[in-house]
Structure formats: C-alpha cells, structure tokens
Amino acid sequence: MKSKYSNQKEKINIEEIKEAAEEIKKGNLVLFPTETVYGIGANALNEEAVKKIFKAKGRAGDNPLIVHVSSIEMLEKIVSNISNIEKRLIEKFWPGPLTIIFNRKSEKIIPNAVTANLNTVGIRMPSNEVARKLIESSEVPIAAPSANISGKPSGTNVEDILEELQDKVSYILDGGFSDIGLESTVIQVVEDKINILRPGKITKEQLEEVTKNVQVDSHVLHMVKESEKVASPGMKYRHYAPNTKCIMVYSKNEQKMIDKINEITKEEEANGKKILILGKKQHLDSYISNKKWSIGSSKAEIAKNIFTLLRKVDNQGVDLVIIEGVGQEGLGLAITNRLIRACEYNYINL
Ligand code: TXA
Ligand code: MG
C-alpha cells in the first residue's frame, strides 16, 4: 500500500485532514500525531477496521485499544454512568493526556475487538489540534494504539516509524515531534479511588488535587508474574526493550549513581565489552565511557527524548547500554515505568 503523506508541522492543512478523515470513514488506517505519541487510528465503531490495527501492529487480541473522542457528546454515546470523580477529572484534564477507563454502554456501541471483550473502555480526548480535527472530520470516535510494531518504543516522530508502518496505513499526518513523548496516563476510578494503571504526563500529584485517594497499581514498577491478573492487559507484554541489553542505575545521591555507572563500565570494558551511557546532559563529562548520549537535562526533556533514543541503540555496535534513572516524583514515575521495561527489569536502585 502506498500511503499519502501530509505535512502538518508548521501549519494545519484542514483539506488534507479531511482527506485522511475520508480514509477513516472508508475503514482504513491513518497515522496521526497526538500530544503524547503518534497513533494508528481506525473508526472505533467499525470492527473490521479495528482488526486492521491489530494486524498492522502484530498486537495481541487481548490488549484493548484507547478510543479518542473530540467532544463530550461523543463520549456520552459510548459510556454509561459517568461518576462525579470522572466528571471532575474530565473538567480538569481534558482535552489532554489522560485516559479514563469507563463502563461500556450495555448496547455495546464500541465493538468487542476494541475492548478485548472487557466491559470497560479506555477513552481520552487529545489536545493535539491535528488529532482533534481528524476526529471531528471523521465524525466517529477513533480507536488508536501507539504507533509502533508491538514491543517497540512508541513513535514520537514520523521518521522513526515510517519504515515499520508506511505500508500499513492509507494516510500519514505528520505533525512533527510529539510534545510529551510518553503515552497518556491511564486511570480507572473504583468507587472513590483513582487507580493509576499507567503513569504519564498527568501525574499522581495532579490527580490528588481531585481526590486524595490515588493509588499506583503495583504493576507500574513490578513485573507481572505468570499467574497474576492485571488491571490493564498492556502491562503483561514486553515493551520498549531494544535488542541490546540495558541496565538502569538510580540513586538520589547523584555522585553515588555516577560512581556506580563508572564502576560497571570499568568492569565490563575489562571484559572486552562496549558500553553506551544514556545520561543527563549535566553528568556526561563525569562518565569514563567514551560513548555517551544525552537524554536531556530535565524530566520533561527526558520524557520527550527517551523513545527515539531507545530506537537508535541497536545499531551502535555496543554490548550494554547503561541508562541513568530518575526520581519517581511527578513525571519521574512515568519515565521510570518505561525505562524499567526497556531494561526488562534489570535495574539497580542504590
Ligand atoms: O497516549 C496514548 O495513550 C497513546 C495515543 C495514541 O493516544 N495511545 C496508547 O495506546 O498508548 P496503547 O494501545 O499503546 O496503550 C493503551 C494501554 C494499554 O496498556 C491497554 O492495555 C490499556 O491502555 N487499556 C486500554 N483499554 C483498557 C481497558 N478497558 N481496561 C484496562 N486497560 C486498558
Ligand atoms: Mg503502545
């Protein structure tokens, strides 16, 4: 399939967004930007179209998709019994990077393929203008997972994902680099408690402004054991990990962290191994390895850079990637959650 490309980087081109919306209406797939990461979208009401997403990504059928809406009317057609806490979350954080797991309407307007047969459906209203205009012009909610082959880091810019996805979508809307760079915060409200199933830009601290009762699901930072039931099926799967072995090292004491990373480097280099360090810009001079990349100097920069960097480590001829961890406060929880998976739970916390 030859996909049509539309440049939406500097200025919105509404005519081309409408062309892409025609593809959604026809049951085809569109690659589009959101403020978090790119999505591969299909008409969420069309089961056959949604199945194409699973095929394009090689995604397990038991991993439900997020549905993207552009208005509250669209939301109300899909879900039932929006609670007071959910209403407050919507008021405060939509449009924006927060996915809420709602109860699905009993008429099952959203097909089972989207929700992996669950009685719930994850919904968000993106703030990215191209995404919103695409949904509005399509006149249907759009089901969209992150744009990547399953297991790989999510696409934060078109260049990174063009090769793996261009043959699989009918239209590409290129909105440049994603503002945030990590996927949305996924939460579920159970009675008067907010459960964070996947951390993101909307932090635990921000959610606590709505209710003090906010809990982080244990699988955010710990591996799912085989016998365990998970609140969010996506947590079971291998994710973000390059083929090269990665290890994350973190300590609140920066000097201790730098010393540990240098110690591992020395040991591994003595065994003939080649090391790549991914560290904060301000720490790079302290590392003895001669191959080192900056991940940025703030959490916001690290969030934005990390997926595109993880995609590049495999063809560097290195045996081990050592990644600096960050503290878990604020956006740090989301960064830690993604890095732990990239390192396949191989991390040292001093
Ligand atoms: O920022 C984002 O959320 C991006 C952009 C494109 O919107 N989308 C995204 O989708 O990250 P995906 O499919 O890569 O991740 C969706 C996550 C998965 O972990 C999935 O298991 C979970 O949300 N999820 C979706 N529906 C759910 C449901 N009904 N119950 C529990 N978890 C759900
Ligand atoms: Mg994903």
Side-chain angles (χ1 to χ4, degrees):
M1 184 196 299
K2 183 93 183 79
S3 49
K4 176 145 190 216
Y5 173 89
S6 162
N7 186 343
Q8 303 278 340
K9 288 187 199 175
E10 311 295 314
K11 209 163 117 250
I12 302 265
N13 180 332
I14 191 69
E15 287 316 311
E16 290 183 351
I17 294 179
K18 284 182 182 161
E19 277 179 25
E22 285 306 311
E23 296 297 330
I24 296 280
K25 287 182 187 170
K26 280 192 242 161
N28 293 327
L29 304 185
V30 172
L31 184 72
F32 67 100
T34 84
E35 67 279 21
T36 57
V37 298
Y38 275 77
I40 312 177
N43 175 355
L45 309 179
N46 175 341
E47 185 139 40
E48 289 314 307
V50 167
K51 283 183 180 160
K52 290 183 187 168
I53 296 179
F54 284 86
K55 191 158 170 248
K57 285 195 57 143
R59 181 175 174 115
D62 69 349
N63 193 2
L65 304 178
I66 293 173
V67 174
H68 298 68
V69 298
S70 57
S71 67
I72 299 298
E73 294 73 58
M74 229 181 221
L75 167 76
E76 285 171 342
K77 283 187 191 148
I78 307 173
V79 306
S80 61
N81 308 326
I82 304 176
S83 72
N84 280 335
I85 294 184
E86 287 165 343
K87 280 185 190 146
R88 271 159 47 211
L89 289 167
I90 290 171
E91 250 166 54
K92 202 167 163 66
F93 298 113
W94 281 13
L98 180 73
T99 298
I100 305 177
I101 309 292
F102 291 97
N103 289 319
R104 226 168 136 194
K105 267 217 164 111
S106 51
E107 300 93 87
K108 302 256 162 86
I109 291 150
I110 295 289
N112 281 330
V114 174
T115 65
N117 292 313
L118 298 171
N119 289 325
T120 53
V121 56
I123 304 191
R124 82 178 191 96
M125 187 190 285
S127 60
N128 179 287
E129 212 181 331
V130 176
R132 293 275 296 288
K133 293 247 178 328
L134 176 67
I135 306 164
E136 274 166 24
S137 310
S138 305
E139 298 169 328
V140 288
I142 294 184
S146 54
N148 53 279
I149 296 292
S150 280
K152 283 208 168 199
S154 305
T156 53
N157 60 91
V158 169
E159 292 72 45
D160 280 0
I161 46 181
L162 199 57
E163 203 178 310
E164 71 194 55
L165 295 173
Q166 65 181 344
D167 295 340
K168 300 180 172 166
V169 298
S170 300
Y171 215 103
I172 296 172
L173 294 172
D174 187 349
F177 225 95
S178 309
D179 282 344
I180 298 169
L182 297 180
E183 309 87 340
S184 62
T185 306
V186 178
I187 58 133
Q188 184 162 24
V189 179
V190 181
E191 286 159 18
D192 58 356
K193 189 177 82 198
I194 299 177
N195 276 333
I196 301 179
L197 306 183
R198 181 178 70 184
K201 175 79 198 300
I202 304 296
T203 62
K204 179 170 188 276
E205 294 83 347
Q206 283 175 291
L207 295 167
E208 279 165 351
E209 291 169 19
V210 172
T211 165
K212 277 275 159 250
N213 203 350
V214 181
Q215 238 181 39
V216 179
D217 191 277
S218 68
H219 296 126
V220 164
L221 296 175
H222 301 283
M223 200 182 320
V224 178
K225 298 197 192 82
E226 271 200 23
S227 54
E228 271 178 314
K229 197 174 163 347
V230 287
S232 182
M235 294 200 263
K236 285 187 303 199
Y237 295 103
R238 185 175 187 274
H239 222 175
Y240 315 120
N243 294 324
T244 314
K245 188 177 166 197
C246 298
I247 183 166
M248 180 173 98
V249 178
Y250 177 69
S251 170
K252 268 202 178 78
N253 179 329
E254 291 190 343
Q255 193 55 51
K256 224 167 139 181
M257 174 174 77
I258 291 166
D259 290 346
K260 186 69 190 174
I261 290 177
N262 281 335
E263 185 192 316
I264 299 173
T265 305
K266 213 167 165 183
E267 264 173 41
E268 295 287 331
E269 284 183 346
N271 292 326
K273 298 278 198 290
K274 293 210 168 51
I275 308 292
L276 167 65
I277 312 276
L278 301 193
K280 275 209 187 129
K281 194 170 174 205
Q282 56 270 40
H283 296 156
L284 289 192
D285 284 345
S286 310
Y287 291 121
I288 58 170
S289 168
N290 52 26
K291 202 166 170 68
K292 42 200 169 187
W293 293 350
S294 164
I295 53 174
S297 47
S298 63
K299 282 179 182 167
E301 278 178 26
I302 296 172
K304 202 164 173 167
N305 291 332
I306 198 69
F307 285 160
T308 185
L309 292 175
L310 285 171
R311 282 177 166 271
K312 294 183 172 78
V313 302
D314 277 338
N315 46 22
Q316 301 296 321
V318 299
D319 304 290
L320 177 68
V321 183
I322 310 178
I323 311 176
E324 261 190 35
V326 298
Q328 289 172 15
E329 314 73 41
L331 189 54
L333 185 66
I335 296 170
T336 307
N337 166 267
R338 306 313 192 273
L339 286 181
I340 281 181
R341 282 168 171 72
C343 297
E344 303 194 271
Y345 301 91
N346 192 11
Y347 66 100
I348 298 174
N349 203 341
L350 297 166

